[in-house]
Amino acid sequence: MATYAIGDVQGCFGMLKRLLERIEFDPARDRVLLVGDLVNRGPQSAEVLRWAMRNDKSVRAVLGNHDLYLISRALGVTGRKKRDTLDGVLDARDRGDMIDWLRTRPLAFRQNGHLVVHAGILPAWTADEAEHLAGEAEEMLQSRDAARLLTSLGEPARKWRDDLAGLARIVTIVQVLTRMRTCRKDGVPNLEFSGPPEAAPAGCRPWFDVPGRKEKDVTVVFGHWAALGLHLADRAIGLDTGAVWGNKLTAIRLDDRALFQEAAK
Ligand SMILES: [Mn+2]
């Protein structure tokens, strides 16, 4: 049995299928962890969701910002954007099943000594804290209050404090887990910067490089940062290799860090 983590698929179902063939994925034997952003910008978001749902026992996925955006569209909280490619989901007969499934995905989970999130965790959080905080946000996302949370995700970033309360607390948790690439030493996440790490704004560093990061025992597996690309470090594995931008879709076998990549056609 092997456990693979796969980077941001974003509706690139053809590439996903070829990558699964390459790793000889057997749902009865292996496990696949998806780092989020299963949908949008690519051509076949519905097919990716249906595949993940069909293989629910062997496929685990965290929510990314594009997945949350799809939920916002489905709930009517957000209007359509020009580059959206979500009609295949929103117009489908099984739309309700897909949105319900997505809404019940976690924002963070542990597997084999790894913590899987879409974007990152704050340097002040341990893996236990990150998982617990994710749980607080998941509870709101699955409640009748989901729309209130989803409409607030565009708010400016706040400095994290353990006693941050109410909606501001939940919004900050979701912003960090699904959108942050860099942050300041004092714990303020940067939600705008998406360039390469060497171009990070003054005072900001990649979240995994901030000195004194509290989490020490777990390797965080994440996506979301195509300009960073494949990142293999002691305690951080970045897997967004820009599949939807014509680059590659990456799988890493967590047991031995063997890499498998599929290029766009
Ligand atoms: Mn993303």
Side-chain angles (χ1 to χ4, degrees), residues 8 10 37 64-66 118 178 181 223-225 240:
D8 310 41
Q10 295 212 245
D37 281 358
N65 52 310
H66 282 283
H118 179 60
T178 65
R181 297 182 181 89
H224 186 60
W225 197 351
D240 185 357

mmCIF file with all atom_site columns, all heavy atoms in Angstrom, residues 8 10 37 64-66 118 178 181 223-225 240, ligand 1:
data_model
loop_
_atom_site.group_PDB
_atom_site.id
_atom_site.type_symbol
_atom_site.label_atom_id
_atom_site.label_alt_id
_atom_site.label_comp_id
_atom_site.label_asym_id
_atom_site.label_entity_id
_atom_site.label_seq_id
_atom_site.pdbx_PDB_ins_code
_atom_site.Cartn_x
_atom_site.Cartn_y
_atom_site.Cartn_z
_atom_site.occupancy
_atom_site.B_iso_or_equiv
_atom_site.pdbx_formal_charge
_atom_site.auth_seq_id
_atom_site.auth_comp_id
_atom_site.auth_asym_id
_atom_site.auth_atom_id
_atom_site.pdbx_PDB_model_num
ATOM   1   N  N   . ASP A 1 8   ? -2.365  20.639 -7.170  1.00 0.00 ? 8   ASP A N   1
ATOM   2   C  CA  . ASP A 1 8   ? -3.601  21.289 -7.606  1.00 0.00 ? 8   ASP A CA  1
ATOM   3   C  C   . ASP A 1 8   ? -4.056  20.789 -8.983  1.00 0.00 ? 8   ASP A C   1
ATOM   4   O  O   . ASP A 1 8   ? -3.371  21.037 -9.975  1.00 0.00 ? 8   ASP A O   1
ATOM   5   C  CB  . ASP A 1 8   ? -3.391  22.808 -7.663  1.00 0.00 ? 8   ASP A CB  1
ATOM   6   C  CG  . ASP A 1 8   ? -2.771  23.356 -6.385  1.00 0.00 ? 8   ASP A CG  1
ATOM   7   O  OD1 . ASP A 1 8   ? -1.847  22.714 -5.839  1.00 0.00 ? 8   ASP A OD1 1
ATOM   8   O  OD2 . ASP A 1 8   ? -3.203  24.434 -5.938  1.00 0.00 ? 8   ASP A OD2 1
ATOM   9   N  N   . GLN A 1 10  ? -7.270  21.419 -10.477 1.00 0.00 ? 10  GLN A N   1
ATOM   10  C  CA  . GLN A 1 10  ? -8.023  22.499 -11.132 1.00 0.00 ? 10  GLN A CA  1
ATOM   11  C  C   . GLN A 1 10  ? -8.745  22.064 -12.413 1.00 0.00 ? 10  GLN A C   1
ATOM   12  O  O   . GLN A 1 10  ? -8.630  22.706 -13.461 1.00 0.00 ? 10  GLN A O   1
ATOM   13  C  CB  . GLN A 1 10  ? -7.092  23.679 -11.424 1.00 0.00 ? 10  GLN A CB  1
ATOM   14  C  CG  . GLN A 1 10  ? -6.568  24.298 -10.121 1.00 0.00 ? 10  GLN A CG  1
ATOM   15  C  CD  . GLN A 1 10  ? -6.334  25.786 -10.242 1.00 0.00 ? 10  GLN A CD  1
ATOM   16  O  OE1 . GLN A 1 10  ? -5.214  26.233 -10.155 1.00 0.00 ? 10  GLN A OE1 1
ATOM   17  N  NE2 . GLN A 1 10  ? -7.415  26.556 -10.427 1.00 0.00 ? 10  GLN A NE2 1
ATOM   18  N  N   . ASP A 1 37  ? -8.082  22.799 -4.422  1.00 0.00 ? 37  ASP A N   1
ATOM   19  C  CA  . ASP A 1 37  ? -8.268  23.346 -5.769  1.00 0.00 ? 37  ASP A CA  1
ATOM   20  C  C   . ASP A 1 37  ? -8.445  22.207 -6.769  1.00 0.00 ? 37  ASP A C   1
ATOM   21  O  O   . ASP A 1 37  ? -7.714  22.091 -7.750  1.00 0.00 ? 37  ASP A O   1
ATOM   22  C  CB  . ASP A 1 37  ? -7.136  24.296 -6.182  1.00 0.00 ? 37  ASP A CB  1
ATOM   23  C  CG  . ASP A 1 37  ? -7.296  25.679 -5.562  1.00 0.00 ? 37  ASP A CG  1
ATOM   24  O  OD1 . ASP A 1 37  ? -8.306  25.904 -4.845  1.00 0.00 ? 37  ASP A OD1 1
ATOM   25  O  OD2 . ASP A 1 37  ? -6.425  26.539 -5.783  1.00 0.00 ? 37  ASP A OD2 1
ATOM   26  N  N   . GLY A 1 64  ? -9.545  23.991 -1.169  1.00 0.00 ? 64  GLY A N   1
ATOM   27  C  CA  . GLY A 1 64  ? -8.732  25.129 -1.582  1.00 0.00 ? 64  GLY A CA  1
ATOM   28  C  C   . GLY A 1 64  ? -9.604  26.340 -1.849  1.00 0.00 ? 64  GLY A C   1
ATOM   29  O  O   . GLY A 1 64  ? -10.834 26.248 -1.796  1.00 0.00 ? 64  GLY A O   1
ATOM   30  N  N   . ASN A 1 65  ? -8.968  27.463 -2.157  1.00 0.00 ? 65  ASN A N   1
ATOM   31  C  CA  . ASN A 1 65  ? -9.729  28.694 -2.394  1.00 0.00 ? 65  ASN A CA  1
ATOM   32  C  C   . ASN A 1 65  ? -10.693 28.551 -3.577  1.00 0.00 ? 65  ASN A C   1
ATOM   33  O  O   . ASN A 1 65  ? -11.805 29.076 -3.540  1.00 0.00 ? 65  ASN A O   1
ATOM   34  C  CB  . ASN A 1 65  ? -8.789  29.890 -2.594  1.00 0.00 ? 65  ASN A CB  1
ATOM   35  C  CG  . ASN A 1 65  ? -7.727  29.654 -3.651  1.00 0.00 ? 65  ASN A CG  1
ATOM   36  O  OD1 . ASN A 1 65  ? -7.034  28.635 -3.621  1.00 0.00 ? 65  ASN A OD1 1
ATOM   37  N  ND2 . ASN A 1 65  ? -7.601  30.564 -4.588  1.00 0.00 ? 65  ASN A ND2 1
ATOM   38  N  N   . HIS A 1 66  ? -10.305 27.826 -4.631  1.00 0.00 ? 66  HIS A N   1
ATOM   39  C  CA  . HIS A 1 66  ? -11.215 27.660 -5.773  1.00 0.00 ? 66  HIS A CA  1
ATOM   40  C  C   . HIS A 1 66  ? -12.396 26.750 -5.416  1.00 0.00 ? 66  HIS A C   1
ATOM   41  O  O   . HIS A 1 66  ? -13.501 26.941 -5.925  1.00 0.00 ? 66  HIS A O   1
ATOM   42  C  CB  . HIS A 1 66  ? -10.473 27.097 -6.981  1.00 0.00 ? 66  HIS A CB  1
ATOM   43  C  CG  . HIS A 1 66  ? -9.650  28.119 -7.700  1.00 0.00 ? 66  HIS A CG  1
ATOM   44  N  ND1 . HIS A 1 66  ? -10.202 29.056 -8.555  1.00 0.00 ? 66  HIS A ND1 1
ATOM   45  C  CD2 . HIS A 1 66  ? -8.322  28.378 -7.669  1.00 0.00 ? 66  HIS A CD2 1
ATOM   46  C  CE1 . HIS A 1 66  ? -9.243  29.834 -9.035  1.00 0.00 ? 66  HIS A CE1 1
ATOM   47  N  NE2 . HIS A 1 66  ? -8.085  29.446 -8.508  1.00 0.00 ? 66  HIS A NE2 1
ATOM   48  N  N   . HIS A 1 118 ? -4.279  23.366 1.999   1.00 0.00 ? 118 HIS A N   1
ATOM   49  C  CA  . HIS A 1 118 ? -4.149  23.887 0.641   1.00 0.00 ? 118 HIS A CA  1
ATOM   50  C  C   . HIS A 1 118 ? -3.009  24.897 0.515   1.00 0.00 ? 118 HIS A C   1
ATOM   51  O  O   . HIS A 1 118 ? -2.197  24.822 -0.398  1.00 0.00 ? 118 HIS A O   1
ATOM   52  C  CB  . HIS A 1 118 ? -5.458  24.524 0.175   1.00 0.00 ? 118 HIS A CB  1
ATOM   53  C  CG  . HIS A 1 118 ? -5.343  25.097 -1.213  1.00 0.00 ? 118 HIS A CG  1
ATOM   54  N  ND1 . HIS A 1 118 ? -5.010  24.304 -2.307  1.00 0.00 ? 118 HIS A ND1 1
ATOM   55  C  CD2 . HIS A 1 118 ? -5.457  26.369 -1.698  1.00 0.00 ? 118 HIS A CD2 1
ATOM   56  C  CE1 . HIS A 1 118 ? -4.948  25.069 -3.393  1.00 0.00 ? 118 HIS A CE1 1
ATOM   57  N  NE2 . HIS A 1 118 ? -5.205  26.312 -3.056  1.00 0.00 ? 118 HIS A NE2 1
ATOM   58  N  N   . THR A 1 178 ? -6.165  28.568 3.205   1.00 0.00 ? 178 THR A N   1
ATOM   59  C  CA  . THR A 1 178 ? -6.474  28.413 1.781   1.00 0.00 ? 178 THR A CA  1
ATOM   60  C  C   . THR A 1 178 ? -5.863  29.469 0.866   1.00 0.00 ? 178 THR A C   1
ATOM   61  O  O   . THR A 1 178 ? -5.921  29.319 -0.348  1.00 0.00 ? 178 THR A O   1
ATOM   62  C  CB  . THR A 1 178 ? -8.004  28.406 1.528   1.00 0.00 ? 178 THR A CB  1
ATOM   63  O  OG1 . THR A 1 178 ? -8.547  29.694 1.866   1.00 0.00 ? 178 THR A OG1 1
ATOM   64  C  CG2 . THR A 1 178 ? -8.697  27.328 2.344   1.00 0.00 ? 178 THR A CG2 1
ATOM   65  N  N   . ARG A 1 181 ? 0.503   32.694 1.166   1.00 0.00 ? 181 ARG A N   1
ATOM   66  C  CA  . ARG A 1 181 ? 1.778   32.156 0.656   1.00 0.00 ? 181 ARG A CA  1
ATOM   67  C  C   . ARG A 1 181 ? 2.948   32.685 1.485   1.00 0.00 ? 181 ARG A C   1
ATOM   68  O  O   . ARG A 1 181 ? 3.886   31.977 1.786   1.00 0.00 ? 181 ARG A O   1
ATOM   69  C  CB  . ARG A 1 181 ? 1.971   32.532 -0.816  1.00 0.00 ? 181 ARG A CB  1
ATOM   70  C  CG  . ARG A 1 181 ? 0.907   31.925 -1.729  1.00 0.00 ? 181 ARG A CG  1
ATOM   71  C  CD  . ARG A 1 181 ? 1.147   32.268 -3.196  1.00 0.00 ? 181 ARG A CD  1
ATOM   72  N  NE  . ARG A 1 181 ? 0.119   31.722 -4.064  1.00 0.00 ? 181 ARG A NE  1
ATOM   73  C  CZ  . ARG A 1 181 ? -1.014  32.363 -4.385  1.00 0.00 ? 181 ARG A CZ  1
ATOM   74  N  NH1 . ARG A 1 181 ? -1.250  33.589 -3.925  1.00 0.00 ? 181 ARG A NH1 1
ATOM   75  N  NH2 . ARG A 1 181 ? -1.904  31.788 -5.168  1.00 0.00 ? 181 ARG A NH2 1
ATOM   76  N  N   . GLY A 1 223 ? -0.314  23.053 -1.608  1.00 0.00 ? 223 GLY A N   1
ATOM   77  C  CA  . GLY A 1 223 ? -0.305  23.429 -3.029  1.00 0.00 ? 223 GLY A CA  1
ATOM   78  C  C   . GLY A 1 223 ? -0.382  24.941 -3.141  1.00 0.00 ? 223 GLY A C   1
ATOM   79  O  O   . GLY A 1 223 ? 0.309   25.652 -2.421  1.00 0.00 ? 223 GLY A O   1
ATOM   80  N  N   . HIS A 1 224 ? -1.226  25.438 -4.035  1.00 0.00 ? 224 HIS A N   1
ATOM   81  C  CA  . HIS A 1 224 ? -1.618  26.836 -4.091  1.00 0.00 ? 224 HIS A CA  1
ATOM   82  C  C   . HIS A 1 224 ? -0.565  27.809 -4.624  1.00 0.00 ? 224 HIS A C   1
ATOM   83  O  O   . HIS A 1 224 ? -0.899  28.926 -4.969  1.00 0.00 ? 224 HIS A O   1
ATOM   84  C  CB  . HIS A 1 224 ? -2.087  27.311 -2.702  1.00 0.00 ? 224 HIS A CB  1
ATOM   85  C  CG  . HIS A 1 224 ? -2.652  28.695 -2.689  1.00 0.00 ? 224 HIS A CG  1
ATOM   86  N  ND1 . HIS A 1 224 ? -3.762  29.048 -3.442  1.00 0.00 ? 224 HIS A ND1 1
ATOM   87  C  CD2 . HIS A 1 224 ? -2.276  29.828 -2.042  1.00 0.00 ? 224 HIS A CD2 1
ATOM   88  C  CE1 . HIS A 1 224 ? -4.038  30.332 -3.224  1.00 0.00 ? 224 HIS A CE1 1
ATOM   89  N  NE2 . HIS A 1 224 ? -3.150  30.823 -2.398  1.00 0.00 ? 224 HIS A NE2 1
ATOM   90  N  N   . TRP A 1 225 ? 0.688   27.428 -4.681  1.00 0.00 ? 225 TRP A N   1
ATOM   91  C  CA  . TRP A 1 225 ? 1.717   28.404 -5.010  1.00 0.00 ? 225 TRP A CA  1
ATOM   92  C  C   . TRP A 1 225 ? 2.471   27.963 -6.267  1.00 0.00 ? 225 TRP A C   1
ATOM   93  O  O   . TRP A 1 225 ? 3.586   27.465 -6.196  1.00 0.00 ? 225 TRP A O   1
ATOM   94  C  CB  . TRP A 1 225 ? 2.666   28.566 -3.815  1.00 0.00 ? 225 TRP A CB  1
ATOM   95  C  CG  . TRP A 1 225 ? 3.506   29.808 -3.861  1.00 0.00 ? 225 TRP A CG  1
ATOM   96  C  CD1 . TRP A 1 225 ? 3.630   30.691 -4.916  1.00 0.00 ? 225 TRP A CD1 1
ATOM   97  C  CD2 . TRP A 1 225 ? 4.350   30.338 -2.822  1.00 0.00 ? 225 TRP A CD2 1
ATOM   98  N  NE1 . TRP A 1 225 ? 4.481   31.705 -4.592  1.00 0.00 ? 225 TRP A NE1 1
ATOM   99  C  CE2 . TRP A 1 225 ? 4.937   31.520 -3.309  1.00 0.00 ? 225 TRP A CE2 1
ATOM   100 C  CE3 . TRP A 1 225 ? 4.650   29.906 -1.536  1.00 0.00 ? 225 TRP A CE3 1
ATOM   101 C  CZ2 . TRP A 1 225 ? 5.823   32.283 -2.552  1.00 0.00 ? 225 TRP A CZ2 1
ATOM   102 C  CZ3 . TRP A 1 225 ? 5.529   30.669 -0.780  1.00 0.00 ? 225 TRP A CZ3 1
ATOM   103 C  CH2 . TRP A 1 225 ? 6.100   31.847 -1.280  1.00 0.00 ? 225 TRP A CH2 1
ATOM   104 N  N   . ASP A 1 240 ? 2.156   22.469 -6.071  1.00 0.00 ? 240 ASP A N   1
ATOM   105 C  CA  . ASP A 1 240 ? 1.469   23.126 -7.189  1.00 0.00 ? 240 ASP A CA  1
ATOM   106 C  C   . ASP A 1 240 ? 2.479   23.393 -8.299  1.00 0.00 ? 240 ASP A C   1
ATOM   107 O  O   . ASP A 1 240 ? 3.243   24.351 -8.237  1.00 0.00 ? 240 ASP A O   1
ATOM   108 C  CB  . ASP A 1 240 ? 0.799   24.430 -6.750  1.00 0.00 ? 240 ASP A CB  1
ATOM   109 C  CG  . ASP A 1 240 ? -0.027  25.042 -7.885  1.00 0.00 ? 240 ASP A CG  1
ATOM   110 O  OD1 . ASP A 1 240 ? -0.020  24.481 -9.004  1.00 0.00 ? 240 ASP A OD1 1
ATOM   111 O  OD2 . ASP A 1 240 ? -0.683  26.075 -7.651  1.00 0.00 ? 240 ASP A OD2 1
HETATM 112 MN MN  . MN  B 2 .   ? -5.287  27.910 -4.588  1.00 0.00 ? 1   MN  B MN  1
#
